[in-house]
Amino acid sequence: MSRPTIHDYVTILERVFLLETVPPWHTNRISRLIKTPKLHLGDTGLACALLGVDTLNPYWAEQVEIQRRAADAWIARADGRNDEAVTLMQSAADLEDATDKSPVTPGALLPAREMLGDPLLELNQPAKALEAYEHSLKDSPNRRNGRAGVGRAKPSK
């Protein structure tokens, strides 16, 4: 894999907050310049999947798959592949809906169904977006972004 491709992947993972570049630290400022920055993987589920630990607990493998599909959907949307983006986000939302929430986790930071509403609204499909936002609010009530999405998607009177 080429350096530019690796750089692109690292940039994407940083933008979706799955990876963080930690600059080198040394008391000698010159040494900081020659040291290599470290990459910190902030998602333990993704770290386990990359290490092959996901076979021990399928719940976390599903959580990683949901996030992977959502990230792929946003990449497709950014590339202008709108139909593919909606299909990927729909599949992430469907998988999230079918997954039982673990009792030791607080739930999704950004529900996939809520994320599905955003591109639908951008693609001028307010009825489908409204359905996605309302479905998301049933599972994750009183989310500010979900309520705001409902407000944007509802037809004006």
Side-chain angles (χ1 to χ4, degrees), residues 75-155:
I75 292 167
R77 175 73 176 107
D79 289 344
R81 300 183 323 257
N82 298 327
D83 292 338
E84 182 183 349
V86 170
T87 301
L88 283 165
M89 194 64 79
Q90 181 72 47
S91 71
D94 291 343
L95 183 58
E96 186 176 81
D97 289 345
T99 305
D100 291 331
K101 185 187 135 349
S102 172
V104 295
T105 60
L109 295 174
L110 184 56
R113 188 75 52 192
E114 185 177 299
M115 282 194 282
L116 173 62
D118 294 338
L120 287 171
L121 200 56
E122 290 175 4
L123 295 170
N124 201 23
Q125 299 178 26
K128 289 181 180 180
L130 179 61
E131 183 181 317
Y133 287 126
E134 287 176 340
H135 188 281
S136 174
L137 286 172
K138 287 178 189 170
D139 296 332
S140 304
N142 297 323
R143 286 186 48 83
R144 184 177 63 115
N145 290 340
R147 290 192 325 246
V150 167
R152 290 190 317 269
K154 275 192 174 175

Side-chain angles (χ1 to χ4, degrees), residues 43-55 60-61 64:
D43 187 331
T44 55
L46 181 58
C48 288
L50 292 172
L51 293 171
V53 180
D54 60 328
T55 57
W60 291 112
V64 170

Side-chain angles (χ1 to χ4, degrees), residues 16 20 25 32 70 75 95:
V16 295
E20 178 182 10
W25 174 254
R32 290 183 208 170
I75 292 167
L95 183 58

